[in-house]
Amino acid sequence: RRFGGGCDQVLVVEPPSSDQQDFDYRIYNADGSEVGQCGNGARALARFIREQGLSDQPQLRVATRTARMSLHLLEDGQVRVDMGVPKLAPSALPFDAPARAERYTLMVGDGAPLEVGAVSMGNPHVVMQIEDLDHAPVDALGAALQDHPAFPERVNVGFMQVLAEDRARLRVYERGAGETLACGSGASAAMVVGRLWGLLGPQATLELKGGELRLEWAGEGQPVLMSGPAQTVYRGEFEWPQA
């Protein structure tokens, strides 16, 4: 299912709603919920647009319901995505916190307090530092945090193990989808939190189960740049049911 006729999300390409972008697109999770951002999906979108002959431009401007992004198709086949400027105010996620902070403390059930960073990349993320990512309780803790009452629109949960200032490992539990092989907006959020916490430098490679992503962030007020591959693994046709 992961590398054939199945997916974590479905993207729908639409004509542009304004002259500020080349395409609009919508993002649906596996549970049918619609979300506003998906970095990995944006790379797949760029590859799809090129292969379907919808545009031959090396740079594309696209918009979702919450974000606008620039997609650059590189000569080596990778796609660089301008993920936009991260939003750090709790209201941007939204997140029920009294004030912005670099670190927040959350309680989940009867467990110990959890220290997390919070950032919006067009969708809400919390990120925590993990010492042993292979044995992290991603499913249980991700599911609990996803529906934490402090996040009225739920939240994506990142588990990050820092290896060096230019390399980290990451697992992401996505709201409405569970743990996925990779998450571009989650990698971007982890990059932001890693820098704010002094763990990562301005350029870093994040290792995810589905591969590696290259992240760049010059600092607050600047966009996060994400580069990675996009590969076609399956083609098919679907007959849309009549209303």
Side-chain angles (χ1 to χ4, degrees), residues 123-142:
N123 55 356
H125 288 268
V126 292
V127 180
M128 68 187 75
Q129 185 178 9
I130 297 293
E131 293 298 325
D132 182 0
L133 193 61
D134 293 325
H135 296 94
V138 173
D139 287 337
L141 192 52

Side-chain angles (χ1 to χ4, degrees), residues 112-198:
L114 296 174
E115 187 176 68
V116 302
V119 56
S120 172
M121 293 302 309
N123 55 356
H125 288 268
V126 292
V127 180
M128 68 187 75
Q129 185 178 9
I130 297 293
E131 293 298 325
D132 182 0
L133 193 61
D134 293 325
H135 296 94
V138 173
D139 287 337
L141 192 52
L145 282 171
Q146 167 190 259
D147 296 316
H148 195 284
F151 302 96
E153 296 181 10
R154 300 193 295 174
V155 71
N156 302 289
V157 186
F159 300 79
M160 178 171 61
Q161 179 182 355
V162 177
L163 305 177
E165 69 170 13
D166 63 350
R167 183 168 288 271
R169 299 176 65 209
L170 181 69
R171 295 171 66 181
V172 181
Y173 190 99
E174 296 191 48
R175 56 176 182 171
E179 185 179 5
T180 57
L181 291 177
C183 179
S185 60
S188 299
M191 177 67 173
V192 171
V193 172
R195 286 220 65 198
L196 291 175
W197 287 6

